[in-house]
Amino acid sequence: MLFNRFFRGLSHTSAWLVLTILFAIIIVLFHYSKSAIGDFGFFHFITNSKWIVGNDGNGGNFGGLIPILGTFLSSLIAMVFAIPIAMGIAIFLTEIAPEFLKAPVGIAVELLAAIPSIIYGMWGLFYFGPLLQSWFGGQSNSLLTAGVVLGIMVIPFMAALSRDAMNTTPSVLVESAYSMGATRYEVIKDIVFPFAKKGIIGSVILSLGRALGETMAVAFLIGGVFRFPNSLTSATISIPVLIANNFGEAGNLQLSAMFYMALILFIISFFTITIAKFYFLRKTD
Amino acid sequence: MKLAIQTKDFSFTYPKTKEATLKGINIPIYANKVTALIGPSGCGKSTLLRSCNRIHDVYPGNLYDGEILLYDNNGEKAENILQYKKENDLINLRQRIGMIFQKPTPFPMSIKDNITYGLKLSGIKNKTELLDRAEIALKGAALWEEVKDRLNNSAMGLSGGQQQRLCIARAVALKPQVLLFDEPTSALDPISTASIEELISELKNELTVLIVTHNMQQASRISDYTGFMYLGDLVEYDVTETIFLNPKEKKTEDYITGRFG
Ligand SMILES: Nc1ncnc2c1ncn2[C@@H]1O[C@H](COP(=O)(O)OP(=O)(O)OP(=O)(O)O)[C@@H](O)[C@H]1O
Ligand SMILES: [Mg+2]
């Protein structure tokens, strides 16, 4: 009895704690970005492509367009690159691989997911970036390099989660489809995918969330220059990289502008997740 | 009498098992009759049933031995289905021999799409033909009145009994020669069970039924022939009445009188 109440109390407290932290973060972000919001407004800020520190070191003209674009485009490239490959791996691991391969390949995928992002960053910087440059021209550190390496980075994560979702398809359902004369491809398309849809979309969203907020790998690879990306292969900057690169020596207004950027990143991730959840919840019910 | 299926010295071994699970089974399945398989848990009823449409092949490493002959509609020419190797042959086989599972298995799609699923797989594209055949199949399964206004709703929203009749309708829509039932009513309430038993009795006019059941009353109510299995052997096979009233083997008698199993 006492135990029951204790655990109920604990779980309630924990649930509230999560909400409290969420609100605390929003409040802090808002508080510190107030002066930038006051100076630049919203539409002006997100359409302004300048980031100029004032002469006295404290003021300046700060706009978020370029880092917002950099964040969005690199994540978009990552998703376009990662989704088909991750789905292919997940399908291979659930439906196609012979039994003796499933476990070792599955473990390899999970190990890849555990590699710290800085290692992907170094690999991209010294090997993959120059390789992409030799194929497509442009700069070695660019939107494309950052996006593709981000994609490679989230593939194992996305594949492992999608595989887990696909594995939840009841085997009688799969057998039932085969017993109607379905081919393996039809079973995957008509049964496994629809059944695992929720989990698959979930895995894509979580991966997108990772890509949007990724700092280390992107810091190495996107170029880190505050410049409008004229092509896929030009160098630019993303929100987390901007913040990480300038946090140390920023003056008051620039600091506030960076908090403003953080707030925007927070809202973007929050809405991506909410909208997508709303979308697939409506689909399955 | 016409044969639909006949097994000849049929043995089956699961992967990584030393001993065969089915040992030299010889059983005739007559066309347009209901044949029931009974026997204690683990004796191999499902294994035999699942061999008839080669659904075992969804998993690798099984060993078949002997023959399972599948006759044409006239009961004359037969093919050994164990010789099929290509995916296409297995697909054709499974469209000729349908299967209903213990738990209803509606697909995650609408009621209409569930019914037309097999038809679409078999290459029918014409929308009106698909709808017509769906309607006939649903009427045949006594489900039409209950679902005709919500054909586009998800099949997951139906009751267990309705879902099972949907699965039967889905299989019947393909006009198979044989339907395999693996304890189709053991997850259902008595009323749903009665309606499914009635359905099975009606299906005899169009096709052949092979059914596994744990329910002795059910076997005696709906089947024409019964096979009693024990530890991977077919101990006795006969007309259902004989099996239940006058079995030749002591094991059979012990089982149906409830002395073991
Ligand atoms: N995939 C498998 N791999 C190995 N052995 C299996 C497998 N499936 C079933 N068996 C074994 O084969 C034997 C026959 O199983 P089967 O499912 O055919 O029995 P059953 O007569 O249908 O029993 P029940 O009435 O409980 O459904 C059992 O001993 C079972 O443990
Ligand atoms: Mg069984």
Side-chain angles (χ1 to χ4, degrees):
Chain A
M1 224 25 226
L2 200 69
F3 235 52
N4 257 339
R5 274 178 45 199
F6 173 71
F7 277 111
R8 195 148 57 170
L10 188 70
S11 72
H12 276 214
T13 318
S14 317
W16 282 108
L17 192 66
V18 172
L19 277 181
T20 315
I21 292 174
L22 189 68
F23 276 107
I25 290 175
I26 296 175
I27 288 167
V28 168
L29 287 178
F30 248 117
H31 177 74
Y32 284 99
S33 41
K34 252 195 323 221
S35 64
I37 295 175
D39 277 17
F40 306 117
F42 180 66
F43 275 104
H44 180 248
F45 184 72
I46 63 165
T47 52
N48 178 8
S49 61
K50 299 211 163 52
W51 194 273
I52 298 163
V53 184
N55 289 334
D56 58 356
N58 266 335
N61 179 10
F62 303 109
L65 178 64
I66 288 172
I68 290 174
L69 265 184
T71 296
F72 257 122
L73 291 178
S74 56
S75 301
L76 188 71
I77 295 169
M79 290 299 116
V80 169
F81 185 76
I83 290 172
I85 298 176
M87 293 307 128
I89 295 173
I91 290 170
F92 178 78
L93 285 177
T94 45
E95 299 297 324
I96 295 173
E99 218 51 48
F100 73 93
L101 267 184
K102 277 183 185 172
V105 178
I107 291 170
V109 167
E110 271 159 28
L111 286 180
L112 276 179
I115 294 180
S117 60
I118 192 162
I119 292 171
Y120 283 99
M122 292 166 72
W123 172 74
L125 184 67
F126 289 104
Y127 177 74
F128 198 66
L131 187 69
L132 280 182
Q133 187 183 29
S134 70
W135 289 344
F136 300 107
Q139 274 141 309
S140 136
N141 286 348
S142 66
L143 210 47
L144 184 70
T145 310
V148 173
V149 173
L150 263 184
I152 293 172
M153 235 177 85
V154 298
I155 282 171
F157 182 69
M158 199 191 273
L161 286 180
S162 299
R163 174 203 56 187
D164 293 346
M166 291 181 193
N167 269 338
T168 61
T169 317
S171 57
V172 276
L173 214 57
V174 170
E175 289 176 11
S176 193
Y178 277 115
S179 80
M180 310 266 329
T183 60
R184 182 183 281 187
Y185 162 73
E186 286 156 347
V187 170
I188 293 168
K189 171 171 72 77
D190 300 327
I191 309 299
V192 177
F193 253 93
F195 196 89
K197 191 169 59 185
K198 215 169 157 170
I200 292 172
I201 297 176
S203 79
V204 171
I205 293 167
L206 288 182
S207 310
L208 179 63
R210 278 199 159 187
L212 284 172
E214 174 56 35
T215 319
M216 270 339 281
V218 181
F220 271 55
L221 301 172
I222 201 164
V225 292
F226 208 94
R227 198 190 300 144
F228 195 88
N230 290 315
S231 71
L232 280 183
T233 51
S234 20
T236 181
I237 203 162
S238 72
I239 298 174
V241 175
L242 173 83
I243 297 173
N245 285 358
N246 298 305
F247 215 81
E249 60 268 20
N252 289 344
L253 187 58
Q254 193 185 0
L255 195 64
S256 176
M258 287 191 297
F259 267 104
Y260 195 5
M261 290 265 59
L263 181 66
I264 289 173
L265 180 63
F266 179 85
I267 292 170
I268 292 171
S269 338
F270 199 81
F271 272 91
T272 332
I273 292 171
T274 315
I275 289 168
K277 272 214 159 148
F278 197 69
Y279 165 79
F280 67 77
L281 277 181
R282 193 194 52 181
K283 271 274 171 129
T284 38
D285 286 349
Chain B
M1 244 176 339
K2 283 191 307 184
L3 276 166
I5 294 179
Q6 178 152 39
T7 72
K8 292 201 164 153
D9 294 326
F10 173 62
S11 297
F12 182 90
T13 315
Y14 281 109
K16 292 185 198 136
T17 37
K18 283 207 197 83
E19 225 181 309
T21 300
L22 297 176
K23 301 156 196 151
I25 304 278
N26 289 290
I27 188 170
I29 311 294
Y30 290 106
N32 298 100
K33 301 284 178 208
V34 176
T35 303
L37 292 174
I38 60 171
S41 189
C43 67
K45 307 178 294 293
S46 299
T47 306
L48 178 57
L49 198 76
R50 291 162 62 85
S51 304
C52 294
N53 66 347
R54 299 272 305 267
I55 199 71
H56 286 304
D57 291 46
V58 170
Y59 312 101
N62 302 298
L63 218 70
Y64 297 97
D65 195 34
E67 291 177 17
I68 296 181
L69 299 175
L70 173 61
Y71 286 81
D72 65 5
N73 272 323
N74 303 322
E76 284 160 7
K77 269 175 56 193
E79 273 183 73
N80 178 8
I81 65 164
L82 299 183
Q83 273 166 356
Y84 294 157
K85 295 218 165 57
K86 283 177 276 179
E87 189 179 33
N88 249 346
D89 289 335
L90 291 181
I91 287 169
N92 286 335
L93 171 69
R94 288 168 191 160
Q95 292 191 327
R96 286 172 70 187
I97 303 187
M99 181 164 224
I100 312 296
F101 297 79
Q102 180 173 1
K103 285 222 186 83
T105 52
F107 297 143
M109 44 182 95
S110 72
I111 294 171
K112 187 180 76 197
D113 289 344
N114 261 280
I115 298 285
T116 55
Y117 186 69
L119 297 171
K120 283 184 195 156
L121 291 183
S122 73
I124 299 174
K125 293 200 181 74
N126 185 309
K127 285 238 167 76
T128 39
E129 186 182 354
L130 285 172
L131 271 181
D132 286 347
R133 295 210 24 197
E135 184 175 337
I136 294 170
L138 283 169
K139 280 181 175 158
L143 198 57
W144 175 250
E145 287 305 319
E146 291 158 69
V147 302
K148 66 178 180 202
D149 299 322
R150 45 172 171 158
L151 289 175
N152 290 316
N153 291 12
S154 166
M156 305 296 197
L158 297 172
S159 75
Q162 288 173 327
Q163 287 183 355
Q164 194 64 308
R165 276 182 283 155
L166 179 77
C167 292
I168 297 176
R170 186 172 73 184
V172 171
L174 276 171
K175 300 198 175 138
Q177 274 174 267
V178 181
L179 269 189
L180 310 168
F181 291 84
D182 197 348
E183 301 183 44
T185 61
S186 63
L188 302 180
D189 63 275
I191 292 174
S192 304
T193 300
S195 74
I196 297 227
E197 286 183 8
E198 196 184 321
L199 192 55
I200 291 175
S201 305
E202 283 166 15
L203 283 173
K204 270 205 299 193
N205 302 320
E206 301 157 41
L207 46 78
T208 305
V209 172
L210 180 58
I211 180 172
V212 169
T213 178
H214 269 288
N215 181 331
M216 294 301 117
Q217 281 86 30
Q218 182 169 71
S220 63
R221 271 196 303 265
I222 62 173
S223 72
D224 305 294
Y225 296 90
T226 298
F228 169 65
M229 294 179 68
Y230 184 64
L231 295 179
D233 286 315
L234 181 67
V235 175
E236 189 169 355
Y237 166 87
D238 214 318
V239 176
T240 296
E241 221 168 276
T242 312
I243 292 280
F244 280 96
L245 298 179
N246 209 355
K248 293 183 188 65
E249 301 290 329
K250 176 136 190 336
K251 268 255 144 24
T252 315
E253 188 178 349
D254 286 352
Y255 182 70
I256 57 169
T257 52
R259 246 167 284 175
F260 80 98

